[in-house]
């Protein structure tokens, strides 16, 4: 096995009624003033926000609630939330929502504890993580991003249209309250975006730089494949019925495990598909999961020859394809087709026009590829390292009707 480090400090409370533990968890951290962050209206409409705030107040905690976090969360709201957190003297940031609210909470937890720092210029762009950070707690309402246990947060600068992530163990939430029933109200599109994102967090780890030294991380690979099979099967059910507790709970737990690094231990993260997708979200404000399925097929086709055996293994172990009489490349191609058809069966886009952004011009494709290299400052990925021309070729391949 290859060496690795694994750190998952988040206390997970999973199951019906988990959100009722918010007050007890806050008090266990020694907190008494909670900034509650939420999104557009789902938490208001379902009554969850009211229930949580009154529960916290009953437990003797002071609360200040701030809503309005949008998908692909904006920096401008982060600044406003930092201002309000400081004014309220918050000592805990509680996110009620999904990746967008949680990532906002993570940024606020840094900004509110360090008023002298500009969270974008001094922290996000410089990758500088200060010592002092407020604790973050989560009540999860959508299974997708995995931010409830991940070390990552992704923000969009609404002035420059740049979408950038920050990774640090320090911003992993202190607790995550996960009640699958809270996801029953999700629209089908958000359920299926979540399924894609959960799969992609494992796939972006599964495709490791090929090595021929005979060293393998079999537990990691088997966990990854088991998770993918489980998500594929339960994703089908959840897309039909978001009130199926069994399916929604499997997705919820898979979402956390897929992005806390468990399914990639000992490997090198690739995450090219995420980088390609982030530029699409930054430029066209498309949903994260949709941005990933729209480019995965083209990424995979461009990268198949880097390690056909890996794609063939995906076909056999995850999609149950019969390898008999086929070359690794042929089986790999079938695995790519099976993944594409699965996304299609969920009505997820598998090309750029299917994102609803039309067929892009050559100029737009070049702009996307250029931005994806951070204006010429980086190459992307590890499985196959992609330069600007490679990224452009992938965007071009995905740009068909
Ligand atoms: O705003 P409201 O009204 O709450 O509606 C939200 C939003 O429109 C809705 N929703 C959430 N829970 C609901 C619900 N609607 C009905 N019932 C519920 N129970 O779902 C929509 C999407 O919410 P969002 O939080 O944006 O979804 P998701 O969890 O997919 O997060 C996406 C964001 O996370 C980032 C993405 O880039 C994107 O910005 N990611 C964060 C990661 C991380 N921090 O580790 C990793 C990921 O790869 C990803 O990049
Ligand atoms: Zn993702």
């Amino acid at each position: 096995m290859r060496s690795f480090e694994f750190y998952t400090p988040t206390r997970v409370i999973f199951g019906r009624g988990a959100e009722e533990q918010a007050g007890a968890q806050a008090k266990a951290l020694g907190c008494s003033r909670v900034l509650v962050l939420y999104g557009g209206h789902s938490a208001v409409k379902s009554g969850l926000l009211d229930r949580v705030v009154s529960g916290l107040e009953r437990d003797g905690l002071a609360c200040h609630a701030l809503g309005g976090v949008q998908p692909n969360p904006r920096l401008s709201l982060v600044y406003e939330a930092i201002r309000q957190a400081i004014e309220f003297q918050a000592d805990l940031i509680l996110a009620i929502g999904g990746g967008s609210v949680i990532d906002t909470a993570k940024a606020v937890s840094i900004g509110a504890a360090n008023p002298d720092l500009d969270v974008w210029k001094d922290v996000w762009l410089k990758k500088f993580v200060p010592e002092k950070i407020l604790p973050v707690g989560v009540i999860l309402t959508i299974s997708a991003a995995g931010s409830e246990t991940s070390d990552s947060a992704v923000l969009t600068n609404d002035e420059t249209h740049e979408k950038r992530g920050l990774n640090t163990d320090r911003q992993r939430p202190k607790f995550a309250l996960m009640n699958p029933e809270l996801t029953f109200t999700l629209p089908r599109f958000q359920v299926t975006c979540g399924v894609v994102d959960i799969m992609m967090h494992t796939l972006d780890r599964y495709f490791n730089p090929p090595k021929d030294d005979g060293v393998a991380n079999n537990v990691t690979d088997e966990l990854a494949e088991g998770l993918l099979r489980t998500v594929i099967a339960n994703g089908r059910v959840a897309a039909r019925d978001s009130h199926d507790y069994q399916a929604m709970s499997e997705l919820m737990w898979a979402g956390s495990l897929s992005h806390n690094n468990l399914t990639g231990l000992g490997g090198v993260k690739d995450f090219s598909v995420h980088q390609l997708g982030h530029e699409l979200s930054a430029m066209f404000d498309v949903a994260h999961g949709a941005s990933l399925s729209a480019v995965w097929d083209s990424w995979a086709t461009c990268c198949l020859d880097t390690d056909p055996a890996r794609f063939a293994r995906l076909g056999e172990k995850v999609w149950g394809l019969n390898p008999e009489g086929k070359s690794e490349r042929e089986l790999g191609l079938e695995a790519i087709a099976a993944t594409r058809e699965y996304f299609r069966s969920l009505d997820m886009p598998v090309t750029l026009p299917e994102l609803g952004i039309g067929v892009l011009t050559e100029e737009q494709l070049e702009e996307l590829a250029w931005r994806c290299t951070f204006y010429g400052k980086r190459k992307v990925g590890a499985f196959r390292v992609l330069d600007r021309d490679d990224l452009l070729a992938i965007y071009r391949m995905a740009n068909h009707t």
Side-chain angles (χ1 to χ4, degrees):
M1 281 180 73
R2 293 183 205 291
S3 310
F4 61 81
E5 188 175 324
F6 187 45
Y7 177 65
T8 48
T10 307
R11 180 182 300 279
V12 171
I13 300 181
F14 191 100
R16 291 188 172 93
E19 68 279 14
E20 289 158 22
Q21 300 294 317
Q25 290 305 311
K27 287 206 274 192
L29 292 169
C31 299
S32 59
R33 302 185 66 78
V34 188
L35 177 75
V36 180
L37 287 177
Y38 61 98
H41 38 252
S42 73
V44 177
K45 202 170 152 203
S46 66
L48 176 64
L49 178 70
D50 272 355
R51 269 199 303 122
V52 171
V53 169
S54 39
L56 288 169
E57 286 173 347
R58 252 195 327 274
D59 284 334
L61 294 135
C63 283
H64 174 71
L66 173 64
V69 176
Q70 291 170 259
N72 298 319
R74 312 300 201 264
L75 180 63
S76 50
L77 190 92
V78 169
Y79 284 139
E80 176 56 24
I82 290 172
R83 197 188 63 70
Q84 295 194 21
I86 293 171
E87 196 175 287
F88 178 66
Q89 297 182 313
D91 54 14
L92 173 69
I93 315 295
L94 179 65
I96 303 183
S100 297
V101 181
I102 303 167
D103 291 0
T104 300
K106 288 175 174 177
V108 173
S109 77
I110 296 176
N114 302 276
D116 296 341
L117 295 178
D118 180 299
V119 85
W120 183 259
K121 291 194 195 111
D122 300 326
V123 178
W124 241 248
L125 294 187
K126 291 189 181 152
K127 308 287 177 214
F128 167 70
V129 186
E131 284 285 321
K132 231 171 43 179
I133 293 185
L134 293 183
V136 170
V138 173
I139 296 177
L140 190 64
T141 67
I142 171 170
S143 311
S147 183
E148 64 278 6
T149 61
S150 82
D151 68 349
S152 146
V154 192
L155 295 181
T156 297
N157 183 323
D158 22 359
E159 278 180 8
T160 62
H161 295 282
E162 289 167 307
K163 187 170 179 178
R164 294 279 192 277
L166 178 76
N167 291 65
T168 163
D169 276 333
R170 282 193 215 147
Q171 66 181 351
R172 290 189 196 257
K174 295 285 182 239
F175 62 85
L177 309 178
M178 296 167 54
N179 173 1
E181 284 182 339
L182 299 183
T183 67
F184 284 5
T185 49
L186 281 168
R188 182 175 187 273
F189 176 66
Q190 290 299 340
V191 173
T192 53
C193 277
V195 170
V196 170
D197 196 19
I198 296 168
M199 287 175 66
M200 215 55 74
H201 292 151
T202 286
L203 287 171
D204 267 347
R205 289 175 165 89
Y206 190 72
F207 288 95
N208 276 285
K211 294 200 176 74
D212 51 11
D213 56 8
V215 180
N217 283 64
N218 289 323
V219 176
T220 298
D221 280 345
E222 297 281 347
L223 282 169
E225 289 151 359
L227 183 139
L228 287 167
R229 286 194 304 271
T230 308
V231 172
I232 289 162
N234 288 284
R236 284 195 182 103
V237 179
R240 279 197 305 271
D241 179 10
S242 69
H243 287 64
D244 186 307
Y245 185 85
Q246 181 64 34
M248 297 308 269
S249 52
E250 298 287 356
L251 291 183
M252 188 172 248
W253 187 221
S256 296
L257 296 183
S258 196
H259 202 34
N260 74 359
N261 230 14
L262 181 70
T263 61
L265 297 178
V268 183
K269 285 196 238 172
D270 179 71
F271 273 74
S272 311
V273 176
H274 265 74
Q275 299 310 317
L276 288 153
H278 282 342
E279 296 311 324
L280 288 164
S281 289
M283 203 184 277
F284 301 104
D285 200 18
V286 293
H288 175 59
S291 77
L292 304 175
S293 58
V295 291
W296 190 84
D297 191 50
S298 305
W299 171 85
T301 308
C302 280
C303 295
L304 171 63
D305 290 325
T306 302
D307 189 0
R310 196 64 172 159
F311 284 92
R313 179 172 167 144
L314 178 78
E316 212 178 327
K317 300 274 238 165
V318 173
W319 293 111
L321 301 175
N322 180 358
E324 244 170 75
K326 293 168 197 158
S327 68
E328 284 174 337
R329 195 172 193 285
E330 284 165 344
L331 195 57
L333 271 173
E334 281 187 29
I336 295 172
T339 311
R340 178 178 60 238
E341 290 317 311
Y342 179 70
F343 292 157
R344 278 217 172 107
S345 76
L346 299 179
D347 299 318
M348 290 302 288
V350 294
T351 66
L352 302 188
E354 287 176 20
L355 280 167
I357 58 177
V359 178
L360 302 191
T361 63
E362 184 61 19
E363 217 178 6
Q364 286 174 308
L365 297 173
E366 283 183 11
E367 174 74 12
L368 281 166
W370 179 233
R371 281 169 163 264
C372 202
T373 64
F374 290 178
Y375 313 105
K377 289 201 202 86
R378 66 164 187 175
K379 292 181 179 170
V380 172
F383 175 66
R384 180 177 151 196
V385 179
L386 305 169
D387 62 19
R388 187 188 172 184
D389 290 345
D390 300 320
L391 295 163
L392 182 57
I394 293 170
Y395 282 130
R396 271 191 194 131
M397 191 184 281
N399 192 33
H400 63 86
T401 47

